[in-house]
Each structure stands twice: as C-alpha cells, then as structure tokens.
Amino acid sequence: MGQRFKQWNPRTKESPKNFQELAAIVRQNRGFSHIDQLKYGDYGLDSAFKTILASIRSNKRIALYADYDVDGTMSCISWIWFFQSINFDNFIYYIPDRFQEGYGVNLDAVKHLVLEKKADTIITMDTGITANQEAQWCKDHGVQFICTDHHKIQASKMPDCIILNPKLHPDPLYQELCGCGITFVLLRKLGEVLNPPSHVWTDILALTGMATICDVVPLNGVNHKLAQLGVQALLRSKRKVFKDLLKAASINNRYMDERDVGFRLGPRINAVGRLEHAKQVISAFVDNDSDSLIHHMGICNERRKSIQNGIVAEARELARKSQDLPILFLGGDWHQGVVGIAASKIAEEFWKPVLLYHKTADLCKGSARSIPHVDIMDGISVAGEFFKKFGGHSAAAGFSFDAANEDKIRETLTGYGKQLQKTRPSLWESSIEYDCFLPESLLNLSLTSCLDEMRPFGHCFEEPLFLIEAPILQSHFYKDKKTGEDRHTAVEISYQNERYKIMFFNEVYRDFPQAKKAKFLVNASRNVWNGKTSLSLTGCDYTLH
C-alpha cells in the first residue's frame, strides 16, 4: 500500500472526537494494564535474598558477573552502588570481553574469580541461564552460584543453582522484566533489611529505567512503571555521572523523555562494549572522575555509526543475492560488536529474520534479529546442535558456531523458515499497524500534551501512529553535512488551514512534486527550538493520491 509497508492495518476503526477518547484508544490498542506498585512475590526471590544476605553478613567475597550491554552494566553498577551505600566492600566485578570470551558465562572466568580472586559467592546479571557447566563447577568447589537473568530458559542447559529469572514468574506482566529490572527487585528486598540511604534508590531506579528502555523489553504495566519512574529518577539524581552524560549528549533536562534515553544515552554507553571493553562503562559510573570516559563514549559511538553503515551496505548486497531465502544467514569480515544493530536494519528492510556474523576460518560469532511474530530463538533452537552457544529472546539473539557447520546451519534455518512461511505466509509481507485516523481538530500542539501523559513509549507500548490525509503544498530535501547529498525529505501539508511539515528522516522520496494529496502515517511530538515550541510530525510511510 505504502512506500515501505505493503499493508497498513488499523488497530481500530474508531476515530476519536477528543483527546480523552484518543488516549483511551491508544491504551486499548495495546492492551495496557496499569499497575500502581511493584509486587513480585517469591518465585526464586527468597532463596537469592537469603543466600546473598548471609554472604554479606558473613563478609564473604562476592563476585558480580555481568553481561557487557546496557542491561548488564547497569545491573552491575546497581549492585556496586548498593554495596557502597551499606559500606560493604568485599566484592569484585567481572565483565567478559565480547571479543575474547563472547556472550554468556564462561568457565575460565569463573575459575579465575574463585581460584585467583577468592570469590565465595558469584552473582550473575543479565546472563547465566545456560551456565550449567559453570554452576556445577562452583557446586563441586563449595561456591554459591546465583543466577539472575531474564533470558529464555533452555531446559537442557538450565544451571543447578539458585535462579532468579522472571521467565519463571506465573504473571506475564513480570515475566518481561529486563536483567536490571530483576536486579532492582532483589536489591529492594535486601534493602528492607540492610536499610541503605534513600538517595541510592533514586540512583538505582535511574539505572533500571535506562536498562528497561535500552534493552527493548515489552513496556507492559510493570516495565512501563519502571521506565517512567526511571526517567524521572534520572532527572532527580545528584550523581555527577548522570549530569555529565546528559550534557555530553546535548539533552535538554526539561524535555527529556524515553527517546533521549533509548537513542542518545543508550547508544553512547553500548558503543564502548561493542568496540572495546565494557569495564570502562563501569569505571565511568563508579569512579568520581568520569569526564574523560564519557567523552570517550561519544568517540566510540561515532566510530560505531561508521562501522555499522559499512556492515549494512555489505549485508544489503548479500541479502539481495538471497532474495528467495526466508531467513537470511549472512557472514562477512564484520565487527562482531556491531552486527546486531546492522541485523536490525537488514531485517526491517528485507522483512525477514536475519542472522549476521563475523566470518572466520574457525569460530564465527554473530547476532540475530527477527520480524514480528517470528520467534528467532525457535529457529536457532531447531539448528541448535550445530551452534556452539546461543541465547536470547524471541526478537533478538546472540550465537557462535564452528565455521565447519556454516552450511548445515543455513540449510536447517532455510528448511525451518520455508515450513513456517508455508503455514503463515502473511508474516513475510511487510506490514504496520496504526492506531486510528486522526481528525483535523486534534492535529495541534495540544496533541503532544495528551501523548506526554502516556509516556514512556517503547516496545509493545509503541509511540502512537496516526493516519492523516492532507493536500501537499511542497517538498524539499535536507543535505547530508558530510557528503552534500540529499538525505532527509520534508513535506509541507495543509491541515485545517494550518501548515505542517512532515519529516522523513534518512529517506529520499522524489515523487511528492507530482502529487497534490497523500495519506500519511505519522508520529507526533513536541519540538522546541530557539525558545519556540511547535508540533513536530515524523513520517513513517505514505501513499499518493
């Protein structure tokens, strides 16, 4: 139907008469259930709480083992700030090297923590749910191994240890907590007994909100509350590192929202772990002198963007040669820390599940991204015998495999994809859902106030998308500052005798001058520039009349 998506599907045929009806439609479209208070219950919490409390009170040495992304590093920092607030200093932390060790807990690191660093208790964060060998080694050597993770459980690799994983919770609302979210739950339980100063909860809640948004977990009632409170806490916190991060990312504190966290703060933090070692992130948050490290985050993020663009360009060419395959399994001389972001771009562009990997003669490592309603972990599991290691969610996963198994994996994934495509062919047709038709009377600056009351938006509580129909007045392009080539398309429309500009970022559309009218799918937000506030419309797709 449109330029990007073959199908435009309305979530409702109702058209709101006022902003109150509009808000009700948006919430109803997402099946949103509001919660007032976080009530996790037990479900593994009590065992983890008692064991860690005993370790603290006995002054046993605790090792924090965290994944290298925002979720893992924010979890680790939460523990460090909590320990510091209760004056417990018998701990160490460990972040695996993405390039040398890869995803997940590894036995050599566990041995290092126990035999050399003398750890008595190991707590994993955002990782560990497949660490059966590592947990067994700890058990054999009298070391407590506590797994706090939120990734999908693989029964054959489930460790024999204390496990706190929201996937084991009976309530679906709590099953989608991120790693830092379940860390927050555990720390709150410990806080009831250990009584840290109140300000530390503001700081830890800010970390939890950042992780919840950046890890792209579904913003159901539980996660929405954590993300909402987290953004507020980020602004209230007195921590210098937060203030420095906001300044470095040029974020206006007054108008900061989840988009700033997800698209400006998160990428800067993640970029370090993608290109170098994520222990630098921990240092930036824990050390008092964080200025140089935060500056380095910005440099890494710019490098990441350049590398990402190169991978996407090469992967796009390979994808075009594999148009007949239902799942794209593509390798190249690509930076393994950036292939995940590139896979997202290719999956959206070609509307297929995508696995991109750094291709070598020995061990290949990569990341997978999927399309709506296709569980990528199911597909990887079908070929599980050929992978060395894998783990993740329905929409994203990490993996490694021996190069000798490359063709077998591709063949198995293709067979799985073709079978699924045969039974559910519509999943491979690009589609997008929009909330409703937006009448002319509601397209004004007051719309942004209505939307602000529902923030934050994110995965499964998406920013509202509206259908509008309007005459086209003119269009023009904004140039790329480096190349001088056309990069963004701006379309001016007339709506209720007012002129509005719709921006299509990173898209160049040249057919608007020949059209008089069009239907648009747009997001709406507030734009503040030079002290002036206006309604900003971002185009998602269009179709000409």
Side-chain angles (χ1 to χ4, degrees):
M1 180 175 181
Q3 294 296 310
R4 291 180 60 198
F5 299 97
K6 293 181 180 179
Q7 298 179 32
W8 291 7
N9 301 318
R11 292 185 168 188
T12 179
K13 294 183 179 179
E14 298 178 38
S15 182
K17 301 181 183 65
N18 52 53
F19 291 121
Q20 185 177 1
E21 289 186 5
L22 178 64
I25 286 174
V26 169
R27 290 190 174 96
Q28 183 177 350
N29 285 346
R30 289 150 182 75
F32 185 76
S33 300
H34 176 79
I35 69 159
D36 293 315
Q37 190 175 1
L38 194 68
K39 297 178 180 179
Y40 191 85
D42 185 359
Y43 311 108
L45 177 60
D46 201 46
S47 296
F49 158 72
K50 288 179 179 178
T51 304
I52 295 170
L53 181 62
S55 294
I56 293 172
R57 286 177 166 171
S58 303
N59 198 36
K60 290 186 176 181
R61 193 159 181 77
I62 297 176
L64 307 171
Y65 192 118
D67 191 29
Y68 38 64
D69 68 358
V70 170
D71 195 14
T73 53
M74 296 304 103
S75 300
C76 186
I77 295 161
S78 296
W79 275 105
I80 293 173
W81 285 355
F82 181 83
F83 282 156
Q84 291 175 338
S85 74
I86 61 171
N87 298 314
F88 178 79
D89 59 8
N90 194 16
F91 70 90
I92 52 175
Y93 68 85
Y94 187 89
I95 311 293
D97 186 300
R98 177 191 288 266
F99 310 103
Q100 300 301 318
E101 300 169 83
Y103 173 79
V105 179
N106 71 84
L107 188 55
D108 287 341
V110 169
K111 290 179 179 179
H112 165 74
L113 292 172
V114 174
L115 300 178
E116 297 180 33
K117 297 298 183 179
K118 307 304 179 184
D120 302 299
T121 300
I122 295 178
I123 306 171
T124 72
M125 283 139 273
D126 191 35
T127 187
I129 198 58
T130 61
N132 51 357
Q133 293 181 347
E134 293 78 8
Q136 186 61 51
W137 187 91
C138 287
K139 190 175 184 179
D140 294 341
H141 289 77
V143 175
Q144 287 284 358
F145 189 90
I146 302 166
C147 170
T148 71
D149 196 359
H150 72 118
H151 290 98
K152 197 169 184 177
I153 294 169
Q154 301 173 44
S156 63
K157 296 184 178 181
M158 195 170 177
D160 180 15
C161 65
I162 294 172
I163 296 175
L164 181 58
N165 187 320
K167 294 291 186 289
L168 297 172
H169 200 288
D171 187 340
L173 287 179
Y174 288 93
Q175 290 173 5
E176 301 298 344
L177 282 167
C178 69
C180 197
I182 198 63
T183 292
F184 179 76
V185 169
L186 178 52
L187 292 177
R188 288 293 289 181
K189 180 75 172 176
L190 287 166
E192 293 174 4
V193 177
L194 299 173
N195 299 311
S198 59
H199 70 80
V200 78
W201 296 123
T202 299
D203 303 334
I204 293 174
L205 190 54
L207 298 173
T208 305
M210 290 171 63
T212 299
I213 292 167
C214 295
D215 210 49
V216 201
V217 290
L219 287 192
N220 56 28
V222 169
N223 286 331
H224 188 274
K225 175 65 71 175
L226 284 174
Q228 184 182 61
L229 295 175
V231 171
Q232 296 168 1
L234 184 56
L235 292 173
R236 291 199 316 273
S237 175
K238 305 296 184 185
R239 293 268 180 180
K240 181 178 180 295
V241 64
F242 287 139
K243 298 181 184 300
D244 290 346
L245 267 174
L246 294 175
K247 182 179 179 181
S250 302
I251 294 174
N252 186 325
N253 291 20
R254 182 178 177 186
Y255 297 106
M256 187 186 77
D257 58 31
E258 74 285 351
R259 292 169 299 182
D260 295 310
V261 174
F263 295 108
R264 298 170 77 176
L265 292 185
R268 298 175 83 88
I269 297 169
N270 258 338
V272 178
R274 292 187 185 282
L275 302 184
E276 298 177 1
H277 201 298
K279 64 184 179 183
Q280 296 177 80
V281 174
I282 309 297
S283 297
F285 277 79
V286 174
D287 297 344
N288 290 325
D289 183 17
S290 58
D291 293 354
S292 60
L293 285 170
I294 288 177
H295 176 69
H296 186 61
M297 287 181 185
I299 294 173
C300 286
N301 196 37
E302 291 304 311
R303 283 173 52 205
R304 186 269 306 168
K305 291 178 184 177
S306 176
I307 294 169
Q308 174 187 320
N309 291 339
I311 295 174
V312 169
E314 292 180 22
R316 181 182 291 120
E317 289 304 310
L318 292 177
R320 286 171 178 161
K321 297 175 183 177
S322 305
Q323 292 278 21
D324 57 328
L325 298 181
I327 297 177
L328 296 174
F329 184 64
L330 309 173
D333 185 15
W334 299 329
H335 198 294
Q336 58 184 316
V338 187
V339 289
I341 314 174
S344 296
K345 302 288 185 183
I346 299 299
E348 182 178 341
E349 181 176 340
F350 289 86
W351 205 259
K352 296 177 180 181
V354 174
L355 294 85
L356 299 186
Y357 52 92
H358 176 222
K359 189 171 183 177
T360 70
D362 301 309
L363 185 66
C364 303
K365 297 178 182 179
S367 292
R369 296 295 185 270
S370 196
I371 54 177
H373 312 299
V374 177
D375 190 327
I376 193 63
M377 277 292 288
D378 286 348
I380 293 176
S381 296
V382 170
E385 63 181 301
F386 304 122
F387 284 97
K388 197 172 186 69
K389 186 183 287 188
F390 65 90
H393 315 281
S394 60
F399 59 86
S400 64
F401 63 91
D402 291 325
N405 290 330
E406 182 179 24
D407 291 339
K408 294 176 183 177
I409 293 173
R410 181 176 288 107
E411 182 181 342
T412 306
L413 288 173
T414 299
Y416 168 81
K418 285 184 175 180
Q419 183 61 36
L420 186 59
Q421 196 175 39
K422 184 177 180 180
T423 56
R424 303 184 67 186
S426 62
L427 296 181
W428 271 259
E429 292 183 5
S430 61
S431 63
I432 190 167
E433 293 183 331
Y434 65 91
D435 283 278
C436 62
F437 175 79
L438 190 70
E440 292 186 10
S441 60
L442 300 186
L443 189 69
N444 53 61
L445 190 57
S446 297
L447 172 61
T448 63
S449 298
C450 171
L451 299 179
D452 285 345
E453 291 177 4
M454 292 184 279
R455 290 189 181 279
F457 298 115
H459 182 44
C460 294
F461 193 72
E462 302 88 351
E463 189 169 1
L465 188 64
F466 303 114
L467 171 65
I468 63 174
E469 187 173 2
I472 297 172
L473 301 178
Q474 62 177 3
S475 65
H476 61 276
F477 304 108
Y478 288 92
K479 303 286 186 181
D480 187 295
K481 293 180 180 179
K482 293 183 179 179
T483 66
E485 297 178 353
D486 294 339
R487 183 173 180 183
H488 312 295
T489 304
V491 184
E492 289 191 30
I493 62 169
S494 175
Y495 216 61
Q496 204 178 22
N497 298 320
E498 293 283 343
R499 295 172 72 102
Y500 294 100
K501 180 167 65 176
I502 301 175
M503 285 297 306
F504 289 89
F505 291 102
N506 299 307
E507 300 288 354
V508 177
Y509 296 125
R510 303 191 184 279
D511 49 358
F512 285 112
Q514 290 76 43
K516 294 183 177 180
K517 199 173 185 180
K519 291 181 179 179
F520 299 91
L521 294 182
V522 298
N523 301 120
S525 60
R526 179 187 289 106
N527 180 52
V528 181
W529 181 252
N530 289 335
K532 184 180 178 181
T533 304
S534 61
L535 177 66
S536 175
L537 298 176
T538 302
C540 178
D541 202 0
Y542 72 94
T543 181
L544 302 177
H545 281 209

